[in-house]
Amino acid sequence: MAASAAVAKVAEVREITRIERIGAHSHIRGLGLDDTLDPRPVSQGMVGQVAARRAAGVVVEMVKEGKIAGRAVLIAGTPGTGKTAIAMGMAQALGSDTPFTAMAGSEL
């Protein structure tokens, strides 16, 4: 009996200590724009940054229409202004075939 209790306890410990990594921007599903590229107040995980979201939407539409190559976009700004969230929203809006790589300026 004691051996089966020890096995059950090990299984419980593995289930409890299992941690899944959740990214800081895992809630972003797009830019939160309507069909006329106007940002909705709260949509697809995006809030605020109305002008930046509209500009990002214009870039996304230009890439979709083949007007620009869309190989890379550099977004610059002060820390905490939503650059990564907007970049992830752009990648989500372009589809699952669009790779997303976040990097800091110190990595360049």
Side-chain angles (χ1 to χ4, degrees):
M1 248 352 204
S4 64
V7 172
K9 187 171 186 174
V10 171
E12 289 175 16
V13 169
R14 285 185 182 160
E15 290 179 6
I16 292 171
T17 59
R18 182 177 172 206
I19 298 172
E20 293 183 20
R21 179 173 155 79
I22 299 174
H25 297 92
S26 61
H27 61 285
I28 304 295
R29 299 289 174 242
L31 290 170
L33 304 173
D34 60 16
D35 293 336
T36 61
L37 299 181
D38 288 327
R40 297 182 189 106
V42 178
S43 180
Q44 296 179 327
M46 298 292 285
V47 177
Q49 289 290 3
V50 175
R53 287 167 48 202
R54 184 177 294 119
V58 169
V59 172
V60 167
E61 287 302 312
M62 290 176 71
V63 170
K64 285 182 179 179
E65 294 170 1
K67 293 183 178 177
I68 59 174
R71 295 187 57 92
V73 175
L74 177 64
I75 302 173
T78 57
T81 55
K83 297 177 299 293
T84 305
I86 289 174
M88 183 169 280
M90 290 174 73
Q92 294 282 338
L94 287 169
S96 60
D97 292 340
T98 305
F100 175 77
T101 304
M103 62 175 43
S106 60
E107 296 176 302
L108 298 176

